[in-house]
Amino acid sequence: MAVIVDIKTFAALGAGVIGSGWVARALANGLDVLAWDPAPGAEKKLRENVANAWPALERVGLKPGASPARLRFVDTIEACVADADFIQESAPEREELKLALHEQISRAAKPDAIIGSSTSGLLPTDFYTRALHPERCVVGHPFNPVYLLPLVEVLGGERTAPESVDAAIAIYRSLGMRPLRVRKEVPGFIADRLLEALWREALHLVNDGVATTGEIDDAIRFGAGLRWSFMGTFLTYTLAGGEEGMRHFMQQFGPALALPWTKLVAPALTGELIERVVAGTAEQVGSRSIKSLERYRDDCITSVLAAIDGAKARHGLRFED
């Protein structure tokens, strides 16, 4: 099966936070971008989101030809995908909606174009069942902000050709991303399952009056979060075991796993809990706008990425390490 790997035209269906992020990343990589979203005012919001992201993309480095002017917003799905070399759908997480969308996308797309979905948990075998060419349909699940964070989880469904997964990985890598091949179809894939466990515990701590939203965020950003930016959980715990490494860590701290520290079942989302979380985050945001916080976040991410790249170079490590 022939598929396109060297892409020139990127199609984005859905122009919300994630879709806008894909558009910004594709434009920064010097591609022509076609975008479609049926929501009122979608084009205006999309162009505003790209403009807000562009300073951060300039800091990390633009590819030759990169320009927001290469974005064209169109009125139909067919106009969006017909000439695209690669297609990324970022519609809301409703299976019936994705079933209908991908049936339409698959019929209008070029026969050698890979079709990706940004879904964060729906399984490709389920929502690609009505696609004309399920063999070239994959999931490419990114992380916000898509235009800066490199991770993208990639997997296929039961009828996806292995060559399509390989091609998608190559395409995402060409966009400066770090593709993570998900070995099995499981709800939530890998990263969101880990984040969901942390999110549940955070809600329990707020619900039980142990800490405010700001205090919980401080516990992450001044502790484990600093390590997580360059070293994951398993390697971090390997170092915690000293010279004997992970074996000693497991022997020393493994028994603590039996202690009732965590509550893996989510708390009931009562009105009181929702209001407590909303009030806490409103205090954290203060008088700052969301767009200004996005720019602050992007500045921090680009600074962290640059610092990690510099440290890797000094230690003889590669981007993939």
Side-chain angles (χ1 to χ4, degrees):
M1 182 187 72
V3 292
I4 301 173
V5 175
D6 182 21
I7 66 171
K8 305 297 183 187
T9 304
F10 185 103
L13 295 106
V17 172
I18 299 301
S20 294
W22 279 116
V23 168
R25 180 175 281 273
L27 291 169
N29 278 271
L31 300 179
D32 291 317
V33 177
L34 296 163
W36 170 85
D37 190 307
E43 180 178 3
K44 180 176 182 292
K45 291 179 181 178
L46 171 58
R47 294 190 184 278
E48 288 173 349
N49 288 341
V50 170
N52 204 52
W54 208 254
L57 289 165
E58 289 176 325
R59 286 196 295 274
V60 297
L62 302 174
K63 293 281 185 67
S67 171
R70 298 181 73 168
L71 167 62
R72 185 159 65 95
F73 196 90
V74 296
D75 295 331
T76 66
I77 291 174
E78 288 75 15
C80 188
V81 307
D83 296 320
D85 301 317
F86 183 80
I87 299 157
Q88 186 78 27
E89 166 269 311
S90 303
E93 291 286 89
R94 299 199 303 271
E95 186 171 308
E96 191 57 40
L97 172 62
K98 289 187 186 289
L99 278 165
L101 270 177
H102 284 284
E103 180 177 13
Q104 199 170 348
I105 293 167
S106 187
R107 293 183 183 281
K110 294 194 292 190
D112 50 358
I114 297 293
I115 302 168
S117 173
S118 300
T119 180
S120 58
L122 298 178
L123 302 184
T125 292
D126 297 334
F127 67 82
Y128 281 136
T129 54
R130 281 156 47 186
L132 186 64
H133 294 289
E135 71 278 0
R136 53 192 173 93
C137 296
V138 303
V139 162
H141 172 228
F143 295 83
N144 187 44
V146 181
Y147 52 88
L148 290 181
L149 293 186
L151 183 63
V152 56
E153 295 178 313
V154 186
L155 68 151
E158 291 176 358
R159 297 166 65 190
T160 304
E163 308 95 285
S164 296
V165 176
D166 292 340
I169 286 174
I171 290 168
Y172 289 131
R173 189 171 285 124
S174 75
L175 296 176
M177 306 188 84
R178 174 69 186 273
L180 178 63
R181 189 188 297 263
V182 179
R183 297 172 183 269
K184 292 183 178 180
E185 280 187 280
V186 292
F189 316 136
I190 299 171
D192 274 355
R193 291 172 73 101
L194 299 172
L195 293 173
E196 183 74 10
L198 179 62
W199 177 234
R200 287 182 188 136
E201 291 304 313
L203 290 178
H204 275 296
L205 291 170
V206 173
N207 195 51
D208 296 344
V210 176
T212 66
T213 61
E215 290 163 349
I216 292 167
D217 279 0
D218 283 352
I220 295 168
R221 67 193 183 112
F222 294 119
L226 289 173
R227 295 189 307 225
W228 286 340
S229 66
F230 60 88
M231 186 177 289
T233 299
F234 283 100
L235 192 52
T236 292
Y237 287 166
T238 296
L239 300 188
E243 294 297 331
E244 297 178 51
M246 180 56 80
R247 187 172 301 280
H248 176 69
F249 177 84
M250 294 289 281
Q251 292 169 345
Q252 185 79 7
F253 298 101
L257 294 172
L259 298 176
W261 287 358
T262 56
K263 301 178 181 180
L264 295 181
V265 176
L269 288 180
T270 62
E272 182 182 358
L273 174 56
I274 291 171
E275 288 308 312
R276 194 176 295 180
V277 171
V278 170
T281 52
E283 184 177 345
Q284 289 179 264
V285 171
S287 61
R288 295 168 293 186
S289 70
I290 293 298
K291 281 285 187 284
S292 70
L293 283 171
E294 288 175 342
R295 291 191 296 273
Y296 166 72
R297 175 202 63 193
D298 293 354
D299 196 359
C300 289
I301 291 174
T302 56
S303 299
V304 169
L305 289 172
I308 292 173
D309 285 345
K312 283 184 174 181
R314 291 192 295 274
H315 288 266
L317 300 175
R318 305 163 301 163
F319 171 76
E320 293 81 8
D321 293 326

